[in-house]
Amino acid sequence: VGMKNEELGILALTLTTASKASPAFDMPPQERAGRTGISVTMQWQLEEIGLQYEVLNSWDFNVLDMNEKQQEQISAWFLMNNPGSCNYTEHNVDNSKLRSFVQTVAAGYVQNPYHNYLHAVDVAHTIFRYLDLLQAERFLSMLDQFALLVASIGHDLGHVGLNNSFLTEVHHELAIRYNDRSPLENMHCCKLFEILAKPELNVLANAATDQFRDVRKTIIDVILHTDITQHPGMAKELELLYEMNSKVFEAASTEGKDAELDILSSNENKNLILKVLLHSADISNPTKPWNICREWALRVLDEYANQGDQEKQMGIPVQALNDRDKVNRPVSQIGFIEFIITPWWVAKVKVFPELIDSCLLLEGNLSEWERIWLEESNPAEAEREKVKERVQKIVASLRPAHARAGGIGLPVGDAVGKSRVRRRSNPGSR
């Protein structure tokens, strides 16, 4: 199948460029405490919410099954109890203030089909899982991790259900305010820090002045890089990180792992990693179990279609993914996986092979979208073969990720709902 509107629309998302943001911050070695296990109290809190930790710490967790109260409760739980940062939050974040902060953030989201508070909680859960699977305390400080979680629940605050291209095209007040440069993402940052500016909601109040300054830079940086136009640049940076240090990343010795941690812990690379993690979580729906993947895909396509309806009414060009009368939904998802998700996940798994489960789930979802396309479209045999060949090429392009994970002894068999990747040994734990 040639480049259809759905595929062209996926590529068009990444065309605009934006300005660079600030670097990440460092933290004194004495504040790089290791992870804390899940306590009885933490488990009891989850049971009060109606969750088991075994489900929460798997890809089977589905925020779409939660009511509004549960969404806020689990958000607060992530922020307070993430194993890699709970030593910081226990001594520096007031529980009642944290709950008020979460409630205020949740209230700041609009009831869009996709960009709503459910999405924010889903992203926060994905960050929670990434941090756990990567044993992120090896190269990220407690405050790094807490900042990333705060950014995750605030990264789409106030989203209006329209993309940046539309806002720029119609000279929306947000585009005018932010000079056409990532208007949505700039607005999200602004709204988040307006909340944090209130003493009764400032969960960063106990950070020292220089720490708060650096945390603010980091949160702004990672949220600005959720703009899809930042994707190509970050992908190149991620590929370069691996290529320049491939011998270190592939080393099996204790010395090799210590050198790897030194690379990941450097300020420049840590800044990239924080951006990569939030952006990955933001676009992770195709790498979740099929029931979750499908529901989020339909939601985002509904939101695109709503924008398309406005574009038609205003007499402006309808963006390629937005015409509800023309877009083939399965084809649009195959294109998204082919052009955006697969190259990104391969690059990411080369650096972080612990995330191989995502690639396994991705393959399964790709097959499901192909199946639905066949059932709904009943295409001619020639077209069937072209799409089949295309899907096979996508699967083949994932082989370097499988090879990387297999090279350090991680399982690369069929993915199942409860994604429990065995971690690498950690001889150089910090």
Side-chain angles (χ1 to χ4, degrees), residues 30-71:
Q30 64 269 23
E31 297 188 39
R32 293 185 177 277
R35 69 174 46 223
T36 297
I38 299 300
S39 68
V40 173
T41 300
M42 293 177 188
Q43 293 184 11
W44 174 80
Q45 291 170 345
L46 287 176
E47 290 174 3
E48 287 290 300
I49 299 171
L51 286 170
Q52 296 295 321
Y53 183 71
E54 289 73 17
V55 174
L56 185 70
N57 196 28
S58 79
W59 294 128
D60 287 333
F61 172 76
N62 189 357
V63 67
L64 296 170
D65 294 334
M66 307 188 82
N67 60 40
E68 290 184 7
K69 181 180 179 181
Q70 289 174 313
Q71 294 165 33

Side-chain angles (χ1 to χ4, degrees), residues 350-368:
K350 283 183 179 179
V351 176
F352 294 122
E354 298 92 340
L355 303 181
I356 187 61
D357 272 18
S358 297
C359 287
L360 300 171
L361 290 164
L362 178 62
E363 289 184 30
N365 293 334
L366 179 64
S367 296
E368 288 296 319

Side-chain angles (χ1 to χ4, degrees), residues 373-398:
W373 173 72
L374 290 170
E375 292 176 356
E376 294 181 352
S377 301
N378 191 26
E381 185 62 29
E383 194 170 6
R384 288 171 180 258
E385 287 302 314
K386 287 181 180 179
V387 171
K388 180 180 179 181
E389 181 180 352
R390 183 177 165 192
V391 168
Q392 289 174 341
K393 287 182 178 179
I394 298 171
V395 172
S397 70
L398 287 166

Side-chain angles (χ1 to χ4, degrees), residues 25 41 51 110 135 139 158 178-179 181 188 214-215 227 254 297 325 343 385 394 402 409 416 423:
F25 59 93
T41 300
L51 286 170
V110 181
Q135 298 180 67
F139 50 89
Y178 297 111
N179 302 311
R181 296 179 180 178
H188 304 325
D214 292 335
V215 167
D227 184 344
T254 299
D325 299 319
E385 287 302 314
I394 298 171
H402 290 281
V416 293
R423 294 194 186 96

Side-chain angles (χ1 to χ4, degrees), residues 241-253 255-257 259-260 263 404:
L241 173 62
Y242 177 76
E243 289 171 5
M244 291 184 66
N245 302 284
S246 58
K247 291 183 179 180
V248 173
F249 282 121
E250 294 169 5
S253 66
E255 290 182 1
K257 296 311 168 191
E260 177 182 325
I263 291 169
R404 174 77 174 103

Side-chain angles (χ1 to χ4, degrees), residues 414-430:
D414 292 335
V416 293
K418 286 190 180 297
S419 307
R420 310 294 292 178
V421 173
R422 175 166 52 86
R423 294 194 186 96
R424 283 186 281 181
S425 59
N426 183 23
S429 181
R430 296 184 176 186

Side-chain angles (χ1 to χ4, degrees), residues 202-243:
N202 186 5
V203 294
L204 297 168
N206 286 344
T209 301
D210 59 338
Q211 288 181 331
F212 179 82
R213 180 190 64 241
D214 292 335
V215 167
R216 174 174 158 80
K217 289 179 180 178
T218 295
I219 291 176
I220 291 172
D221 197 14
V222 297
I223 292 178
L224 289 180
H225 279 79
T226 60
D227 184 344
I228 194 65
T229 64
Q230 297 282 356
H231 177 91
M234 281 194 290
K236 290 179 182 177
E237 288 185 70
L238 192 57
E239 291 168 357
L240 187 61
L241 173 62
Y242 177 76
E243 289 171 5

